[in-house]
Amino acid sequence: QVQLVESGGGLVQAGGSLRLSCAASGTLFSINTVGWYRQAPGKQREMVATSATYGRANYADSVKGRFTISRNNGKNTVTLQMNSLKPEDTAVYYCVLWFPGTSPESGSWGQGTQVTVSS
């Protein structure tokens, strides 16, 4: 059974930084695509960043140049470094892991961690 445990959310002022971490267990981490999604109140869930096998990264346009996703296949972890945070980045952030060729919706999701950016 896959388990994803997130940490690192919190409250930060606009322009600040946060680092989210996700530790995975119960799966062969290195062969999976891993990503971060977020959902703000009243809004649809959206992709923030993904990292395919061996680290090919993809970002939402809204976070390009500010966020960096990194994975460590040896430690089964993925991090999201978030810089120059904006109030519109406020959301619950979810770590997601799925097998290539399948959809994130069918994958494993963490419990979510709240990120709040004050103006």
Side-chain angles (χ1 to χ4, degrees), residues 27-41:
T27 185
L28 188 57
F29 182 81
S30 63
I31 66 172
N32 284 275
T33 299
V34 64
W36 292 92
Y37 281 66
R38 67 186 180 187
Q39 188 164 22

Side-chain angles (χ1 to χ4, degrees), residues 16-81:
S17 298
L18 281 175
R19 184 180 179 90
L20 304 183
S21 297
C22 175
S25 60
T27 185
L28 188 57
F29 182 81
S30 63
I31 66 172
N32 284 275
T33 299
V34 64
W36 292 92
Y37 281 66
R38 67 186 180 187
Q39 188 164 22
K43 293 188 177 181
Q44 286 192 330
R45 189 169 58 195
E46 62 176 354
M47 184 274 290
V48 177
T50 63
S51 176
T53 307
Y54 301 115
R56 180 169 55 90
N58 184 44
Y59 297 93
D61 288 343
S62 60
V63 307
K64 281 181 181 176
R66 300 188 297 122
F67 291 11
T68 302
I69 187 171
S70 301
R71 65 188 294 166
N72 186 323
N73 290 335
K75 295 185 177 180
N76 288 5
T77 58
V78 58
T79 60
L80 184 68
Q81 178 66 42

